[in-house]
Amino acid sequence: MLPHLDRKLLRDLKRLKGQAAAVSLVMGCGLAMLIMARSLIYSLETTRAEYYQTNHFGEIFGSLKRAPNYLIDRLRDIPGVATAQTDLAVPVTLDLPGIAEPCSGLVRSLPDFGEAELNRLFLRRGRWLEPGARDEVLVGEAFAKANALNPGDTLTMLLNGRRQTFRIAGIVLSPEYIFESRPGAALPDSRTYGIFWMPYKEVATAWDLYGAFNHFSLTLAPGANGKPIIAAVDRLLRPYGGRGAFGRKDHPSHIRVTDEIRVLTILSIGFPTIFLSVAAFMTNAVLTRLLALQREQIAILKAFGFTNRQIVVHYLKFAFVMVVAGVLFGLLGGVFLGHRLVGMYELFFRFPDLYFRLDGTAVTIALTVGLGAVTLGVLGAVRKAAKLPPAEAMRPEPPASFRPAFIERTGFTHLLPHAFRIAVRNLERRPMQALFTVAGLALATGLLIVPNTFKAGIADILDFKWDIVQRQDVNLGLVEPSSARIAHELEQLPGVTSLEPSRSAAVRIHFQGRSRQIGLRSLLPGGLHSRAVDANEREIVPPENGLIVSAKLAAVLGAGVGDLLVLEALEGRRPLLTVPLVATAEDFTGITAYMDLHAINRFLGEGDVITGASIGLDQSRRAEFLAALKEIPRVSTVAIKESMRQSFRQTTAQMMGLIQSIYLMFSVVVAFGVIYNNARISLAERARELATLRVIGMTQHEVGAILVIELAILGALAVPLGLVFGTGFASTIIQSVNTETVRLPLVFTSYTYSFAVAVVAVASTLSALLVLRKLRHLDLIATLKAPE
C-alpha cells in the first residue's frame, strides 16, 4: 500500500496532468537533443577510432614530386618513426557512359604482393586484386555507388594520355578517404570524382615512375612528438619536390569528421541549455502556484506530524516525476532522431559499419541535468512553504494590495474595459510570477529564430552567394602546370564564351607562430569569373603585391588587415615571401588565400604558367563542349558549378535541413508548452475568483476575456524580448558551428521573425480556446465552497 503522501502525489499529478505533461514534453525536447548529439559524437568517435586502429591508419602524411624507393629506409631511421610506407598517387580521367562531363579521380598504388602495412583497405563487395594481374582496379565506394558500378563492370581510364579499359575487381573503403572529395574541395562530388587502387607495377609503368614514390605515410613510436618528425621529413624530401608533411589532425578527411563532431558538441550544449531553462521556469510556475493553492493542506500535514523534510521531499517528488517522464521522452526521441541522422551521415562519411550507438553517459547526464534544472527551479519555493508554522499556514494568504494598477493611475481609467483593468491588476500584484512567465515565453520565442536562420543561410548560399563569388560555369584543372598558351587551345572549344586562366599552388602560410597548409588561388583584376567579396558583398580587387585571405583563415591565424604574412611555397624551389594582408574575403567553404595571377607566378619564379582555367559556357552547346573536353588529356579535373550546387543540395544542405527541421519542431513544441502551461495554471489559480465574478453577474464571455487579456499582455511583453534574444542566440550558434570546411552566412529575414510571432500567436490562440473550454465547464458551487 502506498504511503499517504505518495497517494496525495498521484492525485495531484492526475489533477495537474496537463501542466505536468507540458513540462515533461519541453524538458524531453531538450534532453532528446542532448542525448541525440552526445550519442552521435560517441558513434562517430568510436567508429573512427576502431576504423583507424583496425586498418592501421597513418599519423603523418605527405606527397612529393618523385623520390627513389630506397629513401624509405631513411624515413624509417628518423627518430620516433615506427612504420613508414611509400606508394604512388597520380591523377586520372575517366570516360563513363551516360555521363556527359569528363570524370576524374586519383589512382593509388598497392603492393604487388602482400598487404599494405598502413591505410589498409576494407573490401565492401567483390574481391581483392589478383597478384600479378593486369587491367584490374579497386573502386572507392562513394564513386561506385554514385555511378551504380559493381564488381565485374568495366571502366575506361586515360592513364597519362593513354586510353585503357579496366575491370572492377572490388568496391572498397579506405581510412584515408572517409570523406571522399577532390583535393582542396570542401564539398563532395562523388558522381564525377573517385578514388581507385591498382598494383604498384601497373601504376608506375603507366606514369614512368618505376622504382620511385610520390606519396608516403608514417606512424609514430609511443610517446614520440610529431612536430620534429615532420620537420625532419621535410628536410629529407625537400630536394625531391616535397610538398610538406602534415599530421593526422590536418588530414582533409580527418578534419571533416572532426568538424562534424565539433558542431555536434556545440549543439549538444546550446539548445538543451535553453530548453532546460524553459523547463525550469515552467516547473517553478507549476510548483509555486500549487504550493499557494495547497497552503492549508501543508498546514494540516504538519499538524498531523509530518516533518518539514517529508513535505519538501513530497513536493520535490512531484518535480522529479516530470523529470523522469522528460528523460524517457528524451531517450526515445534522441534514439529515434539519432538513427535518422546516422543514416544521413552516409552521404558524407564512408565507414565500414557506422551505426547509432547510445552513449550511456548521455542518459546519465540527461537525468542529472534535468534533476538539477527542476531542483533549482523549485527548491526555494518548496522550502519556504514547508517552513511555514501550521497556525500561519492555516490562515489564508494576506490579500494583495487593491490599489489601482499603474495604467489606471494615468487618468485613462474610463477608457479601459473592466476585464482589461482586472487582468492588469492581477499581473501587477504578482510581478514575480509574471516575470517568470515572460522569461519562459521569451526563451521559447527566441528558440524559433535559430532553425529558420539555418534555413535562410542555406538558401542564401544556394540562391545568391554562389553566383556572386563564382560567375563561371566550369572550372578546369590541368595535370601539370603548363604554359599560358594552353588557354588559347581551351578557348577554341565549342561553346566557350569566355575564359580566364588560373593558377593555384600549395603553400604554407605563417603568422606569429601559427600556420596553415592551404591552396593559394589566383584572381584577375577586372575578371568576369571568380571573385573575392567582402562582408558587404563588394568585390575586392587583387593588388599587384598583397594577399587576400578568407575571413575564417584570418581568424584562425589571428591576423588582421595590414599584418605581414609569410608564404612558403611547397613545390618547386620552395621560395618564401613576406606579403601584407590587404583584405579578408567572405566565403562559405574551406580556407584559402588569393593573389593576383602574375604575382603568384613572380613568387614561384616559373614564368607565365597556369594550372587551370574558368570558363563561361553557351549552355546550348554544353554537350559539344564536354565531348570535346574528353579528348584533351592535359585536363585532369572538371568542376561544373551546377553539379557542385546540386551536390551541396544533396549532402550539406540536406543534412543541415534535417537538423533545422528537428530543432524547428522542438522549438514549436516548447512555445506551445510554455503558453498552454501558463494558461492552465492561471485558470487553476484563479478559479475561485473567476467563479465569484460569474456569480456576481459577469458573463462567460467577460470572465474569459480576463484570462485572454492576461495571456495577450504576457505575450506582448515576451515576444519582443524573445526576438532580441533569438537574434543573439542564433548569431552565437551560427558563428560557433562555422568550421574551416563549411560555413553558413548569418541571414535574418522577415520570414524568420514573422514565423516566430505567428507560432506564438497560434499557440496563444489554441491555449486560450482550451482554457475557455475548461472555464465553460467550471462548477461554480464546488469551486466557491470554502476548504474544509
Side-chain angles (χ1 to χ4, degrees):
M1 186 174 179
L2 288 174
H4 297 295
L5 289 181
D6 288 344
R7 279 185 282 168
K8 176 182 177 299
L9 173 63
L10 292 177
R11 288 197 297 269
D12 288 342
L13 285 169
K14 183 178 180 181
R15 186 163 52 87
L16 299 175
K17 57 182 178 294
Q19 295 94 304
V23 174
S24 297
L25 195 59
V26 170
M27 183 175 296
C29 289
L31 297 180
M33 286 190 287
L34 172 65
I35 292 170
M36 175 192 73
R38 295 281 306 180
S39 296
L40 287 173
I41 293 169
Y42 176 68
S43 300
L44 287 172
E45 288 183 333
T46 304
T47 302
R48 183 175 66 174
E50 291 174 354
Y51 190 23
Y52 284 178
Q53 182 177 10
T54 303
N55 293 70
H56 300 184
F57 187 45
E59 295 175 275
I60 293 177
F61 311 85
S63 59
L64 56 149
K65 188 74 172 178
R66 175 178 181 149
N69 278 337
Y70 64 77
L71 279 183
I72 190 172
D73 294 328
R74 296 184 60 183
L75 287 171
R76 290 171 177 154
D77 290 340
I78 295 175
V81 172
T83 310
Q85 176 176 288
T86 61
D87 62 285
L88 296 172
V90 292
V92 65
T93 56
L94 302 93
D95 186 2
L96 292 184
I99 298 183
E101 58 262 45
C103 298
S104 58
L106 187 70
V107 173
R108 298 292 301 273
S109 69
L110 293 172
D112 291 321
F113 300 95
E115 190 175 12
E117 288 188 84
L118 303 179
N119 311 323
R120 293 178 177 175
L121 303 179
F122 176 87
L123 183 65
R124 178 74 85 186
R125 289 184 292 133
R127 59 174 176 81
W128 296 110
L129 300 175
E130 295 288 347
R134 292 181 56 81
D135 301 331
E136 288 187 347
V137 65
L138 299 175
V139 181
E141 184 182 55
F143 183 81
K145 184 173 286 188
N147 292 286
L149 297 175
N150 296 294
D153 293 344
T154 57
L155 288 175
T156 300
M157 293 186 177
L158 206 61
L159 302 185
N160 201 22
R162 293 188 296 273
R163 188 178 295 270
Q164 195 169 339
T165 300
F166 292 86
R167 185 169 299 278
I168 299 174
I171 310 299
V172 297
L173 302 173
S174 168
E176 286 191 273
Y177 301 103
I178 293 174
F179 181 81
E180 194 171 308
S181 68
R182 286 186 177 89
L187 301 174
D189 186 9
S190 298
R191 182 170 166 271
T192 61
Y193 183 86
I195 311 296
F196 309 91
W197 287 264
M198 298 180 189
Y200 173 85
K201 183 177 180 181
E202 194 157 10
V203 179
T205 302
W207 273 271
D208 194 25
L209 289 169
Y210 201 79
F213 69 93
N214 63 7
H215 186 272
F216 64 90
S217 303
L218 310 174
T219 57
L220 306 180
N225 185 354
K227 287 186 177 180
I229 295 174
I230 289 174
V233 170
D234 284 346
R235 287 193 298 271
L236 174 64
L237 299 179
R238 186 184 297 266
Y240 302 95
R243 297 188 175 97
F246 54 90
R248 182 186 287 178
K249 69 179 183 63
D250 294 319
H251 192 284
S253 178
H254 182 85
I255 287 174
R256 288 307 299 255
V257 183
T258 301
D259 279 349
E260 186 62 31
I261 291 172
R262 176 175 169 267
V263 169
L264 288 170
T265 301
I266 293 168
L267 295 180
S268 73
I269 297 172
F271 276 90
T273 299
I274 303 301
F275 276 61
L276 293 173
S277 299
V278 174
F281 282 127
M282 293 173 66
T283 309
N284 178 273
V286 173
L287 264 294
T288 300
R289 298 182 187 186
L290 178 65
L291 290 166
L293 293 173
Q294 295 190 354
R295 211 178 137 89
E296 294 88 351
Q297 294 183 27
I298 294 173
I300 293 171
L301 291 173
K302 298 183 76 170
F304 277 99
F306 288 95
T307 65
N308 289 348
R309 179 177 174 278
Q310 288 175 306
I311 293 172
V312 169
V313 170
H314 165 67
Y315 283 103
L316 286 179
K317 281 182 180 180
F318 186 94
F320 292 166
V321 168
M322 293 187 286
V323 172
V324 172
V327 171
L328 290 176
F329 174 79
L331 177 60
L332 295 175
V335 170
F336 173 76
L337 296 173
H339 279 287
R340 286 286 309 276
L341 282 173
V342 160
M344 290 290 294
Y345 280 134
E346 292 184 1
L347 296 171
F348 293 90
F349 306 131
R350 299 290 166 178
F351 289 102
D353 190 16
L354 176 62
Y355 59 91
F356 181 80
R357 307 184 189 201
L358 179 64
D359 184 2
T361 60
V363 181
T364 304
I365 291 172
L367 183 60
T368 304
V369 170
L371 290 173
V374 298
T375 301
L376 291 175
V378 303
L379 186 59
V382 171
R383 291 180 62 187
K384 181 180 177 181
K387 286 182 179 179
L388 280 175
E392 182 180 343
M394 289 291 290
R395 291 193 293 269
E397 282 190 278
S401 171
F402 282 92
R403 64 179 180 176
F406 173 78
I407 195 169
E408 295 178 286
R409 299 197 296 273
T410 60
F412 297 100
T413 306
H414 62 286
L415 300 176
L416 303 175
H418 291 296
F420 183 84
R421 291 160 60 188
I422 294 172
V424 171
R425 284 183 183 180
N426 184 62
L427 293 176
E428 189 171 316
R429 287 165 191 157
R430 295 177 173 86
M432 292 309 298
Q433 291 181 8
L435 178 63
F436 278 120
T437 301
V438 168
L441 185 53
L443 290 175
T445 305
L447 283 172
L448 293 164
I449 301 293
V450 182
N452 282 322
T453 306
F454 272 91
K455 182 178 179 180
I458 295 170
D460 188 63
I461 289 176
L462 288 172
D463 302 330
F464 188 59
K465 276 193 167 52
W466 210 308
D467 293 323
I468 286 180
V469 176
Q470 300 181 26
R471 297 186 294 183
Q472 71 277 14
D473 297 308
V474 181
N475 282 321
L476 304 180
L478 304 178
V479 175
E480 293 286 345
S482 304
S483 168
R485 288 192 298 272
I486 193 176
H488 301 295
E489 179 183 343
L490 296 173
E491 206 166 12
Q492 303 307 310
L493 291 173
V496 174
T497 58
S498 60
L499 182 144
E500 292 180 358
S502 62
R503 179 74 199 265
S504 62
V507 300
R508 188 176 284 133
I509 186 168
H510 303 268
F511 179 72
Q512 294 184 352
R514 300 180 182 179
S515 65
R516 277 293 187 277
Q517 193 164 315
I518 61 167
L520 179 63
R521 300 180 185 175
S522 68
L523 291 174
L524 289 176
L528 299 175
H529 295 169
S530 296
R531 303 190 302 168
V533 298
D534 62 16
N536 297 315
E537 296 171 358
R538 293 189 299 261
E539 182 177 3
I540 304 171
V541 179
E544 291 186 7
N545 293 293
L547 192 68
I548 303 167
V549 304
S550 57
K552 186 67 177 181
L553 177 57
V556 169
L557 295 174
V561 174
D563 289 331
L564 295 178
L565 308 179
V566 177
L567 288 180
E568 175 191 1
L570 299 178
E571 52 191 59
R573 295 187 297 239
R574 301 180 66 124
L576 293 173
L577 176 67
T578 300
V579 61
L581 173 58
V582 297
T584 58
E586 292 294 323
D587 51 17
F588 52 87
T589 57
I591 54 174
T592 191
Y594 306 90
M595 282 182 72
D596 176 81
L597 173 63
H598 303 296
I600 293 180
N601 281 328
R602 287 196 302 271
F603 164 46
L604 297 176
E606 295 178 353
D608 195 9
V609 170
I610 65 172
T611 56
S614 58
I615 289 174
L617 193 61
D618 178 356
Q619 294 300 323
S620 66
R621 304 188 67 186
R622 183 175 184 268
E624 292 179 70
F625 168 79
L626 295 175
L629 202 58
K630 292 181 178 181
E631 303 302 321
I632 302 178
R634 282 183 287 181
V635 174
S636 63
T637 61
V638 180
I640 299 174
K641 185 174 71 172
E642 282 308 312
S643 296
M644 296 299 295
R645 196 199 305 259
Q646 186 62 26
S647 175
F648 184 86
R649 281 196 178 97
Q650 294 173 351
T651 54
T652 304
Q654 192 173 343
M655 170 66 80
M656 290 181 175
L658 178 59
I659 293 175
Q660 177 258 341
S661 298
I662 292 170
Y663 291 159
L664 184 62
M665 177 184 67
F666 283 167
S667 299
V668 171
V669 169
V670 170
F672 272 83
V674 169
I675 296 170
Y676 174 74
N677 182 70
N678 178 72
R680 284 296 306 271
I681 289 174
S682 181
L683 175 61
E685 181 185 49
R686 303 182 61 195
R688 279 180 63 85
E689 176 187 338
L690 298 174
T692 302
L693 293 174
R694 287 291 314 282
V695 169
I696 64 176
M698 291 186 73
T699 66
Q700 179 81 43
H701 176 76
E702 290 173 323
V703 173
I706 296 172
L707 292 177
V708 173
I709 290 171
E710 280 189 25
L711 201 61
I713 292 172
L714 292 172
L717 293 173
V719 167
L721 295 175
L723 296 180
V724 173
F725 164 74
T727 301
F729 185 53
S731 301
T732 302
I733 290 291
I734 294 292
Q735 291 169 5
S736 298
V737 301
N738 282 350
T739 66
E740 293 184 22
T741 50
V742 177
R743 295 174 290 284
L744 277 181
L746 188 60
V747 179
F748 296 103
T749 65
S750 57
Y751 172 81
T752 300
Y753 294 107
S754 60
F755 179 86
V757 174
V759 168
V760 173
V762 171
S764 299
T765 302
L766 293 177
S767 299
L769 291 174
L770 290 171
V771 170
L772 291 176
R773 183 173 176 271
K774 291 280 186 182
L775 184 61
R776 281 196 297 271
H777 295 87
L778 190 65
D779 188 335
L780 301 182
I781 296 175
T783 304
L784 288 172
K785 282 183 179 179
E788 297 296 334

